[in-house]
Amino acid sequence: MKVNGNKVFRPYEQIPTIFKSVKAIADNVPQAELVFKDWATEKEIYPTDLMQLMENPNPLMDWNTFLQYVVGFQALYGECFIIKNKSVGQLSGTYKLPAELWTFNPKKFQPVVVDGIITAWRYDAGTIFPVEDVIIIKDFNPYDMNRGMNPLE
């Protein structure tokens, strides 16, 4: 185990129980059946464009892989960032869905704050994503309203 004093720097690879727990959750969530439903009529609906986005959220991942990353980051870090790449239709105002969905390691995101308000998120000290292009799924954190509580901390 790579430990400096009593600090663990890479818990997913250093602590077998964390690896097994997070992997089990991340592997099982994509097995759940995804159903779209019109709650007013109680009927299942099949929105073709949304289903296509979910089948291929980005060029590098299918839906199962994407969900594994989302759930894995959420379970390991207490938060997950989903980035929406705007479609041409969104930019012109004629289409509501993004072209792609991406998720990255939440530890690499830092808020960009202007006058006490988060206006964007900076990834890895470089790329800036405006808040409207970021979905954050986070665990309750009484110490920080903007970030999820990391279960390892």
Side-chain angles (χ1 to χ4, degrees), residues 101-118:
L101 298 173
W102 292 87
T103 188
F104 304 103
N105 187 333
K107 296 293 261 183
K108 295 184 178 188
F109 281 91
Q110 294 303 319
V112 176
V113 180
V114 176
D115 296 326
I117 297 172
I118 296 177

Side-chain angles (χ1 to χ4, degrees), residues 2-149:
K2 301 173 201 164
V3 180
N4 182 2
N6 62 357
K7 283 244 181 197
V8 176
F9 294 102
R10 297 175 62 94
Y12 189 67
E13 73 182 37
Q14 290 176 266
I15 302 173
T17 53
I18 290 176
F19 171 81
K20 287 179 184 179
S21 300
V22 171
K23 178 138 176 58
I25 294 167
D27 286 348
N28 283 301
V29 166
Q31 294 178 32
E33 182 181 0
L34 183 62
V35 175
F36 298 98
K37 192 172 191 176
D38 180 338
W39 293 104
T41 64
E42 295 289 320
K43 293 184 180 178
E44 286 187 22
I45 56 175
Y46 302 95
T48 307
D49 47 356
L50 181 57
M51 291 173 78
Q52 287 173 344
L53 175 63
M54 295 180 105
E55 286 174 9
N56 294 66
N58 64 62
L60 301 179
M61 297 179 180
D62 63 9
W63 184 244
N64 287 345
T65 305
F66 180 77
L67 272 183
Q68 283 181 313
Y69 274 78
V70 167
V71 172
F73 286 140
Q74 176 69 28
L76 191 58
Y77 297 117
E79 61 186 3
C80 173
F81 285 72
I82 298 173
I83 306 302
K84 303 180 287 183
N85 275 359
K86 286 191 170 110
S87 64
V88 173
Q90 277 184 305
L91 294 172
S92 68
T94 61
Y95 190 68
K96 295 180 181 178
L97 291 177
E100 299 171 346
L101 298 173
W102 292 87
T103 188
F104 304 103
N105 187 333
K107 296 293 261 183
K108 295 184 178 188
F109 281 91
Q110 294 303 319
V112 176
V113 180
V114 176
D115 296 326
I117 297 172
I118 296 177
T119 59
W121 289 91
R122 178 178 286 113
Y123 178 75
D124 207 18
T127 307
I128 303 286
F129 297 102
V131 291
E132 62 269 11
D133 292 344
V134 180
I135 299 169
I136 304 171
I137 302 168
K138 58 188 174 192
D139 288 343
F140 171 70
N141 184 348
Y143 310 110
D144 186 342
M145 297 299 289
N146 299 308
R147 300 302 299 251
M149 176 66 97

